[in-house]
Each structure stands twice: as structure tokens, then as C-alpha cells.
Amino acid sequence: MDAGPVKLLSLIADKGKRFIVPVYQRPYSWDEEQCEQLWDDVLHIGHLHESAHFMGSVVWVQEGTMGADGVTPALIIDGQQRITTVNLLLAALAAYADSHPNQADELQFSCDELTDEYLIDSCREGEGHYRLCLSQGDHDQYESVIHHLEDPRAPITSESHRIIDNFQWFSGQLKEMRDPNSVWAGLRRLEVVSISLTQGQDDPQAIFESMNSTGKDLSTADLVRNYVLMRQPLEMQGQLYEDHWRIIEIKLGVDVYNDVFDDFLYDWLAIINAPRPVPTRDVYRFFKDYVTNNGYDNHGQIVGLLDQMSKFAGYYSRITSSSGDDPEIDRLFDRIRALNMSVINPLLMTLLDDYQEGDDLFSRSDFVSMLKLLESYLFRRIACQMSNNGLNRFSLSVIARLRQVKEDGSPGYRQAFEAALLGGAGTSHRMPDDNEFRQTLLSRDFYPFSRCNYMLTTLENAYHPKNPIDFSSRNYTIEHILPQNALAHEQWRQMLGADCERVFAEHVNKLGNLTLTAYNSELSDGLFKQKRDRIVGGYQDEYLSISRELRGAETWNAESIEARTCRLADKALEVWSMPKIDRATIDKYKADKQVKIPTKTVSLHMLGASGLLKPGDRLESLSRKYEASALITGEMMIRVSDGREFESPSSAASHVLKLAGANSSSINGWTFWGHGGISLDDFRSRYQVSQGDMESLDRSKVRAMFWDGFVDFCKARNDFMAAFGSAFTRADHTRYLLSFGSPVSGCNLAGLIGIRDGYATVEFLFHDPAQYADFLEQKSQVESDLSGQEGDLEWDDKDADKKSRHLTLTRHTDYKQDQWDDIYRWLADALLKMKSVSQYVR
């Protein structure tokens, strides 16, 4: 690294460099606020005639070697916003000079001078003609500005873009200037620290992350794009951007990409980490951990990551903009989105992924049913004014539960989903039942309800399932049939009766008094018959089904409102229905949640990154009934016999069973597939143990892995095998205790492990209290013999009120797999030591 202060214009004017904004950098993002700050700084130092004004650093790295023309391409790592904006100001100054030839003698700069010195290389054509080359999204706009300076007949692009907007803003400011020379003077005094990195030695990514740039803060989108592309070889960056990253930008919407990318990234990582939440402040760290843990930072694996991101970006776009090709499903996405509950976006993306990629995991009708249930679940809770606190964690637990069902090969995906949403009785995430929902519909004031428009439009379209009305134009607004200002009119007071003020207060905002109209201002506070009979927009000719009571009505009072409220409430119970599911099914999937759902998802990519599996490994079916083989591809996918590739072992196994003509294709792929006789499930367990992730595993499985490893360790120790033989190798290895026989009659020697509580213990057990009392008399000698062994020694009281007595030696330890050999060594030594003191037993 080489760093030093330099005038910014001198850096830009260096004929030996051509600055390039690489594809991994964020698009040009400064707007008027940042331009105004730069403008004020330039004017300030221009007027004060200060020698210099420091405005941060510019970090760049040489791309390749110097060309034959003596120019070195320099990739801007940090500082592109400032350099680009200063160049736009230089272009605006040049355009000012060109359009004011009458001031040529007064101006200290000219159009040709600024253009040739700072903006172009007149000796070169093509890309090399421009001293600054911006990335794809900004490239054409910037070049149109420069080209216009060279040839005023060449148009500046009319496309709305920050590049054009800021150039025009600077041009407008200059038109108001009395003395543009002060701008030129200020620009010449701007100073930066120029930091040049050495390719292959300095780490641009680490420096990029640690920089505190001026201007706009880096978004997560900026950091992630930079992390993904900057780490790749220079020759790959452009191709990866064009073929993969650009597709993600387009799916998320190029114009709003930076605004939505952070939300998309959070939702995607939430799916991956479910049921563990991802703190919003740690999204970038979680992303980097995911890349590393799955081996995507290894050579050639980055395409797999980008393809996965692109797929989920498509899902995100569909659920947030309903851009699919199934009108019914898209309408359901529209309605769910109208509830403004983005917290369930990860769950929606999970359902969509499992529907499209789950190899017939569930049918289209199942998918429609699940979306309708989710909409009902959310709306009932919102209408009944239930708190949404904890809904994020709940939706993540549902994702994890569905993932487990999929991996187990269970056919009950839809059942598991229904059980999750309907099985929360008595908890904060319960779904209001029909009685509670109906009572809310009958009694609540709905006009202040933020989802009132959604409720009424959805009720209306329930009457037109095949040809729903398009309410997206928002021409329809909420209309009070009994006006909010009704009590100001005597005829309304008479219609409401003697107790009109109470009746008004209780009914004006009821569901039965609200409808939709495109003529709200025309109907306004009119009398009921006036509103009914109005030629344009009147109730008499109103075609909305939710307003049918109004067509022939002569009066509108408490009874009318109550009757319509009941009718709409009955319809609402149909629209936002609550399916029936038996208690046994709910309990079944509750048990799955408590026992099976892991706290951390393990993927084939993780097994590959850890070295447990690698591309090219062949998988074989462990099923006695179905023979099959598959190959792990370079992208850590499973390629089956017909060439199809799957991310999920269960999806691959399900597909193989279909090819074999099986009656059912539901199967757990982690237990179906194996490599070298070891199931993928065992490989997954080994990985989780290696990461210290004990909470995700069944305790008996971890204990079996531990004791199996201990047996292998002991077989290599002649002193241990001579002392204990091999009887212990045939014992049940799934228990927390493993017996090592009876060193003397009436006693037993055992090893105990507490994986959750972090201890390993050797136990000398006495069944005869009298025998233990005699042994206790040798306490000082026993402790002397055991003094060299690490651990805490503990004796039972000889008069303890229990059937047996114990002498234990305990060591507190961590059960991460990289420490198992150390625990094995301690256990073996402690068992040998404990057996040696059995000589003191009579």
C-alpha cells in the first residue's frame, strides 16, 4: 500500500491513469443533498482562498500492467462517488464556458481546457477515450454528458438518472453565479489521500469494509455486491456481473434495487437460518458466514451462490409485486401484501420455493389453500387487534418445521402447515376462532381500521371469484352510508329515532354502515334517499354486491345497519375461513417441533466446505428395496440417473422413487442416500458436532458418535485393552453411561458423559455400603494415588440415604469435536487410574 496527500484534480488529470469503477461497486448514488454539500465546500474554500480542503481518501488498485500507450487502468475501491461528482461539476463548468463565449476573457477556464485535461483522452478511441469509466448502470448517461461537450449536437440522454440530474443541478447553480471563477478556484484546492494498493498483496475487500467514506453510507447491498465480486479474479468480475448479478438487480427492480435489496437479503437469510432470527444489524456478517460455511468462497463455487440468490430474488419479486403467471395465486399474493405484514415474507418465499422446486411436494390446490389460510390467519389476528410481537419468531419456527417435514420425506406438508397455524391455542400466536372473529366483526368500529379498504374490497370480490373487480386504481374509497355528519340533519335524526345520538355513536363506524364508492365527494353528507336515488353514483344503481341492501331500502337506521353487519360478517367467515383439523394432527406436528426441528440447517454445501463430502463423490441408495446411485456435482448438487440435479437429498430421493414407479415418493433423502456406507444423515451429524452444534442433534446420536470414537481410540492402546478387554465395545453406545466391568466383586467401573452440561466423569460404584465404608478408610492413600490425574474427586457420605455409594472423578469440558481426542485421552487415563485403586477394596 502506498498513501499520500494529493490535489484531487491532479489525481484526475494524471495522464498515466484511467480510473474505472468496477462492476462490484454500487451505482452512482449521490443526489442533490450530497451535491449541495460539495458545492458549499467548494464555494467556501474558493472565497477564503485557503490552500487546501481535505475531503477524504481515494483508494485504487492497478488492474494488470501498464498498457502500450502508457496508461494504467486503476480500479476505484473507495471514492467513486466523489470523483464522479467532481467530474460532473467539471463538465458543468465546461458547458458554462462553452455557452458563455462573451465571458471568455473573464473566465479562468475554458471548455476545451477542462474537457481535454480532466475528462477525455483525445488521442484514444472507444472506452479509452474517457478518463473515467463508470459501471454498467451509469455508463451511458455519463458518456452522453461528455460527448455533448465535445459535440453540442450530440444529445444528453433524457432518461431520468442521478448522473443527468446532478449535472443539470450544477449547471443551474452556475447560471446563478456572478463569478464562476470561485468554483474553479475551490475545485483546485480540494485535496484527498490517494491510497494505491498492490494487486495480489493488499486486500481491497478488507480495506473497503473498514473505510469511513464521506457522503452516503454503504448499504448492505453495496457491501454484499462488493464482497461477492471483488474477491473473484479480475477477468471473471465482468462476466459474473453480466451473467448473474445483473439478473438479480433486474428481478429486484433496477430503479429501486438498493432500496429493496437489504430487505430481500434479510428475508433470504432468515429462511436459511430459521428458526434462529437474524439481527438486522448483523445481516452482512451472517451473509459472509453463510458464504464461508458453505464453501462458496472456494474456487468455482460462487456461481452456485449467485444462482441461489437469483432464484430467491425472483420469489421476492413475485410476492412483493405479483409478477407471476398464475392469476389466482398472484391475487392471493396481492391480498396478503395488502395486509402490510412483511414479517411473513420469508414464509411466503419458502412456500413458493417448495411449490416450484419440491418435486411435487404438494399440489397447486394445496398451495392455494395454504395461501388462503395464511391470509385468514393474518387478517383475523389484525382484525381482533392481537399483538404481532413474536410473529417473526413464530413464522421462522414454521419454516423450520416445514423444512423438517420435507427432509423426513413426510407426505404431510400441508397438514404440518395447518397444524402450525391452527395449533397455537392459548399462546401469543394463536388464530382467533370463528366465535371471536365474528364477535369482532359485529362490534368493532372499522372506519379507523387501517385495513378497512382491504376488507371491503376483498369481501366484494368474494362475490366475483372468476371476474374480480380491479380496485388498484384507488378510485373507490370508503363511504359512510349513515354520514359522519348525520346529526346535523333533522331528517337523519328522525330516521335514527328518539335516542339518535346513542344510535349514531354506536353504529356510524360499524361494518354494516361502510361501503365502497367512486363518488364519495358527490354523496357526502346527503340524506339517505338523496344518496340512494342520485343518478350518478347513487345506491339505486350501485352494482357492488356488498351494497345490495341499499338499492330498495326506504330507511337506514340501527336495524338496517345491524342486519347488513350480520350479513357481511357471515360472508367474512367464508372468505377468511378457519379449516378444521383434529387434535391428534396438531399434537403430532407439535412433537415434531419440540424434538426434530434443528437450530441450524446443514446443507450439502456445508458438508462440502468441511471436507466431509466433495464434488465427484458417488452416492448410493441405502434402501433395501430401491437401488439407485447419484453423483455430487461441482456445485454440490445431487445429479440422479436422468440428469436432473437437486439441492435437497429428499427431493433427489423422491424423484428417484418416482422413476422407479414407487406408490409413494415420500422419503427422507438424508437417510436414503449414503457414501461409503455412511448415510448423509450421519455426515450431517458429524458436521454439526464438529461445529459444536449439539442442540440440533438427538442426544443419543451424539453419545453414540462419541462412544464409538472412544472405542476406536481405546483399541489402539495396549495398556487399556489389557486392563479392560473388549467387553465394553459390545455395549449400548447410545446411553450417557458406558460400563467397564467389575474390577472387584460388588463394584462397577463406568464412564459418564454430560454433553449438554459439559462434563466427563469416571465413576467407581459400590453396591455394598459396608464395603464402601472399609474402602473409605483408605481415603488418604486413594487420593494420593489419584493426585496426578486431572479432575475433581468427590466421595459419597458413607451414611448417605441411598442404595449405592460412589467415588467420582469429574472433568468439566467442551464437547466440540476437535476436543474429543483430548476427552478420550483423559477418560482412558482416569479409568486406568480408578481401576488401580480397586486394590484397596476388601
Side-chain angles (χ1 to χ4, degrees), residues 694 699-710 732-740 750-763 809-811 813-815 820 823-824 826-828 831:
M694 305 301 177
R699 291 273 183 267
S700 63
K701 178 174 287 190
V702 181
R703 290 193 291 265
M705 291 174 60
F706 180 87
W707 287 127
D708 287 344
F710 183 59
D732 179 5
H733 291 177
T734 63
R735 300 170 60 226
Y736 76 98
L737 177 148
L738 194 62
S739 175
F740 291 86
L752 296 83
I753 55 173
I755 291 173
R756 181 185 63 186
D757 298 324
Y759 70 83
T761 295
V762 171
E763 172 189 83
L809 186 63
T810 299
R811 176 191 178 186
T813 187
D814 185 345
Y815 276 88
W820 280 17
I823 302 172
Y824 291 161
W826 181 87
L827 272 173
L831 284 163

Side-chain angles (χ1 to χ4, degrees), residues 389-406:
N389 291 338
L391 197 57
N392 177 45
R393 285 182 176 272
F394 173 66
S395 66
L396 296 180
S397 73
V398 176
I399 291 171
R401 196 181 314 186
L402 295 176
R403 180 186 296 132
Q404 191 65 50
V405 170
K406 184 170 66 172

Side-chain angles (χ1 to χ4, degrees), residues 764 766 771-788 792-798 806-808 833-834 837-842:
F764 198 3
F766 292 79
Q771 190 179 36
Y772 178 74
D774 289 340
F775 180 67
L776 192 57
E777 293 180 2
Q778 308 296 320
K779 182 177 181 180
S780 60
Q781 186 61 50
V782 170
E783 290 184 347
S784 176
D785 287 1
L786 296 176
S787 61
D792 300 325
L793 198 62
E794 185 174 349
W795 298 78
D796 276 348
D797 189 321
K798 65 183 178 63
H806 307 77
L807 170 63
T808 58
K833 283 275 192 178
M834 195 67 84
V837 300
S838 65
Q839 63 180 305
Y840 303 115
V841 179
R842 297 175 185 172

Side-chain angles (χ1 to χ4, degrees), residues 300-445:
Q301 295 295 316
I302 195 65
V303 170
L305 172 70
L306 293 176
D307 286 346
Q308 184 185 164
M309 292 177 68
S310 179
K311 179 176 73 171
F312 277 88
Y315 297 154
Y316 185 87
S317 175
R318 184 169 183 187
I319 67 173
T320 56
S321 64
S322 302
S323 55
D325 54 4
D326 188 314
E328 183 180 13
I329 289 175
D330 287 339
R331 279 196 297 271
L332 286 168
F333 283 143
D334 270 338
R335 282 161 42 175
I336 293 173
R337 185 170 65 255
L339 291 171
N340 194 27
M341 295 291 290
S342 60
V343 68
I344 52 87
N345 280 354
L347 180 55
L348 284 173
M349 291 164 68
T350 297
L351 294 175
L352 187 53
D353 182 48
D354 288 342
Y355 173 58
Q356 295 193 347
E357 302 289 337
D359 206 52
D360 297 330
L361 190 62
F362 51 85
S363 68
R364 179 188 176 279
S365 63
D366 287 334
F367 189 31
V368 169
S369 176
M370 287 188 286
L371 291 178
K372 287 181 177 178
L373 173 56
L374 182 57
E375 181 190 13
S376 295
Y377 174 83
L378 295 172
F379 181 66
R380 286 188 178 215
R381 287 177 56 88
I382 295 168
C384 294
Q385 297 176 287
M386 295 179 64
S387 170
N388 291 322
N389 291 338
L391 197 57
N392 177 45
R393 285 182 176 272
F394 173 66
S395 66
L396 296 180
S397 73
V398 176
I399 291 171
R401 196 181 314 186
L402 295 176
R403 180 186 296 132
Q404 191 65 50
V405 170
K406 184 170 66 172
E407 290 186 355
D408 287 347
S410 167
Y413 191 101
R414 175 177 166 179
Q415 276 191 334
F417 182 77
E418 291 175 344
L421 267 60
L422 301 178
T427 70
S428 61
H429 57 262
R430 66 181 176 84
M431 181 176 181
D433 61 20
D434 287 352
N435 290 333
E436 182 180 359
F437 185 42
R438 181 178 176 81
Q439 186 57 40
T440 295
L441 294 167
L442 295 176
S443 60
R444 182 175 174 182
D445 279 2

Side-chain angles (χ1 to χ4, degrees), residues 138 154 209 361 393 437 453 533-534 618 688-689 744 826:
D138 306 313
E209 291 181 8
L361 190 62
R393 285 182 176 272
F437 185 42
N453 188 277
D533 298 337
R534 182 179 172 83
R618 184 158 293 279
Q688 289 170 294
V689 170
V744 292
W826 181 87

